[in-house]
Amino acid sequence: MKRHLVFVMAIIFTASLLTGCATHSVERVDTKEAIDLSGRWNDTDSRLVAEEMVNQVLGGAWIGNHQEENNGQKPVVVVGLVYNKSHEHISAETFVKDVERAFINSGRVRLVQAGDKREELRRERAAQQEFASMETAKAWGKELGADFMLNGDINSIVDTYKKERVNFYKVNMELSNLETNEVVWIGDKEIKKYINK
């Protein structure tokens, strides 16, 4: 009797799992389609910030000013940190990479690596000094020094009342001259979402 009951329970459990799986569906959608499920920061917000920052930073006077002062040379930029000061976990990497890509693709700015990636390049260069042939090992002291550093922060304000909520995000970016500490460009993007539960 016990064995029969266990067998019946196992069949019921398996059937419930299969039924649960049958209601789950997945479909591919355009990556530019705005889908807001929770009202929190999402891929659409990241894309909107990237587009706005690219338009603002590449449209700024700082590029022309640098070229006038430096015999037409393109400015060299390093991207520093973007601090998340919001109430959510937000990865700034998604929109920062879009800004870096735009710098390179514009042909108006040169970009150098920062942080962990720069350190990885230096470790590789150190390894080459020991393991690569003298003819192919890359020399020390030839890194391209940046003229400007881009960094910023993500802030948020949340307002709630009963079943309503407003999430306000503001992304601030600024570009500073590394030699003089002068801020040569400031840009921002605001996003506001109304959520009614």
Side-chain angles (χ1 to χ4, degrees), residues 147-162:
D147 301 305
F148 300 96
M149 177 176 271
L150 180 70
N151 51 25
D153 53 63
I154 306 167
N155 296 283
S156 67
I157 299 171
V158 179
D159 186 19
T160 59
Y161 181 72
K162 294 185 180 178

Side-chain angles (χ1 to χ4, degrees), residues 18 45 67 70 96 104 110 126 128 134 140 148 173 176:
L18 292 174
D45 303 317
Q67 289 179 320
N70 294 280
V96 167
I104 293 169
R110 297 174 77 184
Q128 284 187 12
M134 289 180 62
W140 288 103
F148 300 96
M173 301 288 288
S176 302

Side-chain angles (χ1 to χ4, degrees), residues 6-18:
V6 170
F7 180 73
V8 170
M9 293 299 286
I11 290 173
I12 292 170
F13 178 72
T14 304
S16 67
L17 282 177
L18 292 174

Side-chain angles (χ1 to χ4, degrees), residues 4-193:
H4 181 68
L5 184 60
V6 170
F7 180 73
V8 170
M9 293 299 286
I11 290 173
I12 292 170
F13 178 72
T14 304
S16 67
L17 282 177
L18 292 174
T19 304
C21 291
T23 60
H24 183 79
S25 70
V26 175
E27 66 178 274
R28 302 273 185 255
V29 294
D30 187 334
T31 57
K32 294 194 178 185
E33 182 179 343
I35 300 174
D36 251 318
L37 299 177
S38 65
R40 293 190 298 265
W41 181 273
N42 62 28
D43 62 305
T44 301
D45 303 317
S46 182
R47 181 174 46 80
L48 293 173
V49 167
E51 289 170 358
E52 186 63 29
M53 289 300 113
V54 165
N55 289 337
Q56 289 183 32
V57 72
L58 290 177
W62 66 277
I63 297 174
N65 293 343
H66 174 83
Q67 289 179 320
E68 279 180 28
E69 296 168 6
N70 294 280
N71 299 321
Q73 290 184 3
K74 296 176 187 179
V76 179
V77 177
V78 63
V79 177
L81 297 175
V82 177
Y83 297 96
N84 180 15
K85 299 178 181 178
S86 76
H87 69 286
E88 295 176 25
H89 169 72
I90 296 175
S91 173
E93 184 76 13
T94 53
F95 70 82
V96 167
K97 277 294 162 202
D98 289 338
V99 173
E100 289 179 336
R101 186 179 309 106
F103 275 149
I104 293 169
N105 291 343
S106 74
R108 301 173 63 205
V109 175
R110 297 174 77 184
L111 185 70
V112 294
Q113 291 285 11
D116 292 342
K117 292 183 181 176
R118 177 171 48 204
E119 292 308 314
E120 185 178 359
L121 289 167
R122 289 175 178 165
R123 283 192 302 272
E124 171 59 23
R125 197 174 305 119
Q128 284 187 12
Q129 303 311 306
E130 188 173 345
F131 300 111
S133 67
M134 289 180 62
E135 298 81 28
T136 61
K138 302 306 171 244
W140 288 103
K142 293 195 173 184
E143 290 184 23
L144 188 61
D147 301 305
F148 300 96
M149 177 176 271
L150 180 70
N151 51 25
D153 53 63
I154 306 167
N155 296 283
S156 67
I157 299 171
V158 179
D159 186 19
T160 59
Y161 181 72
K162 294 185 180 178
K163 293 185 176 185
E164 297 177 290
R165 187 172 85 231
V166 174
N167 289 348
F168 173 78
Y169 304 92
K170 184 165 186 178
V171 179
N172 301 296
M173 301 288 288
E174 50 186 57
L175 192 71
S176 302
N177 183 308
L178 276 168
E179 190 166 68
T180 65
N181 287 344
E182 178 186 9
V183 178
V184 297
W185 171 85
I186 294 179
D188 71 329
K189 172 67 176 170
E190 297 177 349
I191 294 172
K192 192 172 190 176
K193 297 182 178 188

